[in-house]
Amino acid sequence: MVYPQFTSFCFYLLTYSVIFTKIILMSPKSNNSKSLLGIILILVLLALNAYQWIVNSNLKGELNDKKSAFLELEKLNTELDQDYEDALKDLEDMRSDNQELNTLIDTQKEELAVQKKKISGLIWSERELGKARQELNKFKSMANQYLSEINTLKSQNENLSAENQNLQAENTSLTAEAVINKSRISKLDSMRDMLSNENENLSSSNEQLSTKVEIAEAIKINFIEVQGYDIKDNGDIAKRNRAKRIEMLRACFTTETNVITPAGEQEFFIRYTAPSGEVLYVEELGSGMLTDKLSGETVMYTASGKVDYNNEDLTACLDWKPNFPLGKGMFQIAIYNNGFNVGNGEFKLK
């Protein structure tokens, strides 16, 4: 920069030189005047040269300052570009198969690009070296923070991946155990079905055996005879063959010897069937229902009675007094003991 005092001095020197030159030219002493004029001109030229040198020196200094500032800006921009490229490379190196992680990396790269553009504007547009340096430091901190976040996420993902592998291994183990258990269960089911079938067979066998035992315990009848009676006023009875005069039917039967049947009281059930095929059934006179264990059918019976049995041949009689007149014809009689039909016969009423 040219100093103002020196500029003013040069201006006054030039002005007075012009004035002195005019005075000398108007002076009658021509030679001396010319000599003095030459000296003045020389001084003026020297002053002008000095001024020009100072101006050039100042310009050169300003140019060097601007060049130095430009170099500093360029250096800062180069540092920015390098840091930006390094940050992008570091982020790209962090990419993996995890989509969430890759999305975060793309977002961070965009944010770094925005920050770089801001710093470039401070460097070249605003020439704010100090602010640009501050923002560059923030840029570096941001890049380091992003890398730290990515590393943390990668570490978490690796831990989750390891846990997932462990879970898969456990799942594989559990699946294998499930297959083994399923096979065991299948075998147990087969054994259970087999045992169930055996149990059913045993139950069936037991039922059959029980039926056989019950059949064996039933007391068979060898002889049956039915006689009609008329009951007199004094209680005596008289045999009758005509249906209209019969007031009581007496069935007498002879049993076989059965050593299997427990000795003691035995109940016999008698069923009378009329010639029409209708069972003589009067509930208030002791008629009822029983189950034929051989056929499983429900059977109506006319009357029942109990006798003492001592595992030997026995003759017993059971009476039934109908409260209605009996019809003529051939009647059927069936005797049941222990749920089985143990004897059958017929008789005729006139």
Side-chain angles (χ1 to χ4, degrees):
M1 179 181 293
V2 180
Y3 297 102
Q5 295 85 351
F6 186 76
T7 303
S8 300
F9 169 75
C10 293
F11 175 75
Y12 289 136
L13 178 61
L14 182 60
T15 302
Y16 287 124
S17 299
V18 172
I19 294 172
F20 287 150
T21 302
K22 289 182 178 181
I23 294 172
I24 293 171
L25 290 175
M26 294 175 62
S27 175
K29 297 179 181 181
S30 178
N31 291 330
N32 292 332
S33 298
K34 289 181 180 179
S35 297
L36 183 59
L37 178 60
I39 293 171
I40 292 172
L41 290 175
I42 291 172
L43 292 174
V44 170
L45 290 175
L46 289 173
L48 290 175
N49 286 334
Y51 173 76
Q52 186 65 39
W53 178 84
I54 291 172
V55 169
N56 290 337
S57 296
N58 289 334
L59 290 175
K60 185 176 182 181
E62 291 179 4
L63 182 60
N64 288 333
D65 291 340
K66 290 182 179 180
K67 185 177 181 181
S68 178
F70 178 81
L71 291 175
E72 189 66 24
L73 293 173
E74 192 174 41
K75 178 181 178 182
L76 185 61
N77 188 72
T78 302
E79 184 178 350
L80 172 64
D81 290 339
Q82 185 62 47
D83 290 341
Y84 178 71
E85 293 298 326
D86 292 342
L88 293 184
K89 183 178 181 303
D90 291 338
L91 289 175
E92 283 297 323
D93 291 341
M94 293 292 182
R95 283 192 182 274
S96 64
D97 296 332
N98 188 289
Q99 186 60 38
E100 181 182 0
L101 188 64
N102 293 338
T103 302
L104 178 60
I105 290 174
D106 291 335
T107 302
Q108 292 174 343
K109 287 174 64 177
E110 292 175 0
E111 293 175 356
L112 289 177
V114 171
Q115 184 67 10
K116 179 179 181 296
K117 184 176 180 181
K118 176 181 178 181
I119 297 173
S120 296
L122 291 173
I123 293 174
W124 300 117
S125 299
E126 301 181 18
R127 306 285 179 167
E128 292 286 349
L129 187 61
K131 290 183 179 180
R133 174 63 66 182
Q134 292 177 358
E135 292 298 326
L136 181 58
N137 290 333
K138 290 182 182 179
F139 178 88
K140 292 179 180 180
S141 298
M142 184 186 298
N144 291 331
Q145 180 183 351
Y146 288 166
L147 290 176
S148 177
E149 291 177 0
I150 297 298
N151 282 322
T152 300
L153 285 176
K154 284 193 71 175
S155 178
Q156 292 175 351
N157 288 334
E158 289 173 358
N159 292 335
L160 290 175
S161 178
E163 291 178 3
N164 186 46
Q165 290 178 356
N166 292 333
L167 289 175
Q168 287 180 352
E170 291 178 2
N171 185 50
T172 302
S173 177
L174 290 174
T175 302
E177 290 181 6
V179 172
I180 294 173
N181 290 333
K182 187 177 181 180
S183 176
R184 291 175 178 172
I185 292 172
S186 179
K187 290 180 180 179
L188 290 174
D189 288 340
S190 299
M191 293 178 66
R192 183 189 62 190
D193 293 339
M194 182 176 66
L195 292 174
S196 177
N197 292 332
E198 291 180 358
N199 186 47
E200 289 177 1
N201 294 333
L202 288 174
S203 297
S204 178
S205 299
N206 289 335
E207 289 178 359
Q208 294 176 3
L209 181 60
S210 176
T211 301
K212 290 179 180 179
V213 171
E214 289 176 345
I215 291 176
E217 290 180 347
I219 302 172
K220 306 297 187 296
I221 303 296
N222 285 333
F223 174 78
I224 301 175
E225 182 182 22
V226 179
Q227 178 62 56
Y229 289 90
D230 177 23
I231 302 175
K232 296 182 179 181
D233 294 337
N234 60 3
D236 293 338
I237 58 175
K239 292 183 180 180
R240 296 286 184 264
N241 291 326
R242 295 185 180 278
K244 64 180 181 179
R245 300 187 61 182
I246 293 176
E247 296 177 333
M248 183 182 74
L249 291 175
R250 173 172 286 176
C252 296
F253 54 89
T254 302
T255 68
E256 291 183 355
T257 299
N258 191 332
V259 296
I260 298 177
T261 303
E265 194 176 65
Q266 290 288 328
E267 188 172 14
F268 290 86
F269 300 86
I270 296 175
R271 183 183 68 189
Y272 292 115
T273 304
S276 62
E278 182 182 1
V279 176
L280 303 183
Y281 184 92
V282 182
E283 190 171 349
E284 58 267 24
L285 298 179
S287 301
M289 311 287 288
L290 61 84
T291 300
D292 188 329
K293 293 181 180 179
L294 192 62
S295 65
E297 296 177 353
T298 300
V299 177
M300 300 171 64
Y301 65 87
T302 306
S304 66
K306 295 180 179 179
V307 298
D308 289 328
Y309 184 74
N310 295 313
N311 304 106
E312 57 187 14
D313 291 352
L314 171 70
T315 299
C317 297
L318 296 177
D319 297 336
W320 184 64
K321 301 174 183 178
N323 57 1
F324 56 89
L326 299 175
K328 299 179 181 180
M330 188 68 71
F331 286 76
Q332 305 292 326
I333 181 175
I335 299 178
Y336 287 84
N337 174 250
N338 200 29
F340 295 94
N341 186 348
V342 294
N344 296 284
E346 60 183 14
F347 61 97
K348 187 177 182 179
L349 297 179
K350 297 179 181 180

